[in-house]
Amino acid sequence: MEKISRFSIIWKEKVGSTNEEMHSLLPDLESFSVLAAFSQDKGRGQGDHKWHSEEGRNLTFSILVKYDAAHLLKARDQQLLTMAASLAAVDFLSENNIEVSIKMPNDIYLKDKKICGMLIENGLNGGNMQWSIVGIGLNVNEKDFPEDLPNPVSMSLATGSDYDIKKCLRGYLRHFSTRFDAIWSEPDVLKRDYNSKLISLMQ
């Protein structure tokens, strides 16, 4: 296990889905545990969509958040977590000179091509959030995608560079930590920044 700031990262060579794997480990893991895989063969997106990822070329991971008195989030405000996770991807990619937009609720697009997708699952306790699993697939070094995928792009295709997968994860988590804290400290800023990056508002 790798410890970076508030995050504890577990790397696995191959899983079915990092979200499903996180579900199975949920009772035993602390908040801000991260499960990352070099390969997953049952990656999921929103609804019935699958998430394709060539082995070892992309970043697939899930972040576990367990809410407590210090981080109490009402179920009605769960969209703030979506905003935080989406903006963390925008911030990380911008840091790497890739300017992207958000397609609601949390798909990240480079112009008309999708570079990152998310699947966020929540557990509720009455009107409060009990836990969240933030599953993220980021196209990093893949250059040849299956023909049946309509509009994929990767960081490497965007810039011509190759990237260290583990460094990319650390970079994303740094931004996620900042945006996550903003849920409580600066929710209005979070909403403003999210709305400013929405594709529907930019066209």
Side-chain angles (χ1 to χ4, degrees):
M1 183 179 294
E2 182 181 3
K3 186 75 175 177
I4 298 175
S5 183
R6 75 209 298 181
F7 300 99
S8 298
I9 305 173
I10 304 167
W11 279 97
K12 295 205 169 185
E13 284 298 323
K14 187 173 185 176
V15 299
S17 152
T18 59
N19 267 33
E20 289 180 3
E21 188 83 2
M22 186 68 89
H23 269 291
S24 69
L25 298 171
L26 194 151
D28 303 318
L29 294 178
E30 297 180 352
S31 189
F32 302 112
S33 294
V34 180
L35 178 66
F38 292 106
S39 174
Q40 62 173 11
D41 54 17
K42 296 179 181 177
R44 294 183 293 141
Q46 299 289 347
D48 296 328
H49 294 169
K50 305 296 183 184
W51 182 263
H52 164 82
S53 179
E54 184 181 346
E55 185 171 346
R57 304 293 290 169
N58 301 313
L59 190 53
T60 53
F61 63 101
S62 297
I63 305 169
L64 173 63
V65 175
K66 291 185 175 180
Y67 301 94
D68 54 23
H71 295 109
L72 184 65
L73 187 63
K74 298 290 186 183
R76 65 173 180 265
D77 294 326
Q78 60 185 275
Q79 75 275 8
L80 290 172
L81 178 66
T82 296
M83 293 178 181
S86 301
L87 286 169
V90 172
D91 295 341
F92 167 70
L93 290 166
S94 178
E95 185 178 68
N96 285 276
N97 299 312
I98 303 171
E99 298 302 324
V100 294
S101 307
I102 302 169
K103 180 180 178 182
M104 290 185 70
N106 50 27
D107 284 337
I108 310 301
Y109 272 71
L110 175 61
K111 296 181 180 178
D112 61 344
K113 295 183 181 295
K114 187 173 177 178
I115 193 169
C116 178
M118 302 185 187
L119 176 63
I120 300 177
E121 301 176 280
N122 301 306
L124 305 180
N125 182 10
N128 295 324
M129 304 277 279
Q130 186 174 14
W131 55 262
S132 296
I133 295 175
V134 182
I136 297 175
L138 173 64
N139 295 331
V140 180
N141 292 321
E142 188 159 357
K143 296 181 176 68
D144 297 310
F145 290 91
E147 291 183 1
D148 59 340
L149 292 182
N151 56 351
V153 70
S154 67
M155 293 175 64
S156 184
L157 285 174
T159 66
S161 300
D162 285 332
Y163 298 87
D164 183 301
I165 297 293
K166 290 189 174 183
K167 281 186 178 180
C168 287
L169 177 58
R170 292 194 291 269
Y172 175 85
L173 292 177
R174 185 176 70 255
H175 290 292
F176 178 82
S177 184
T178 300
R179 292 293 190 173
F180 180 82
D181 288 340
I183 291 174
W184 293 273
S185 64
E186 297 181 305
D188 291 340
V189 172
L190 206 61
K191 293 174 184 176
R192 181 201 68 196
D193 290 352
Y194 178 83
N195 288 333
S196 75
K197 285 296 181 178
L198 285 177
I199 288 175
S200 59
L201 296 182
M202 296 177 65
Q203 291 178 335

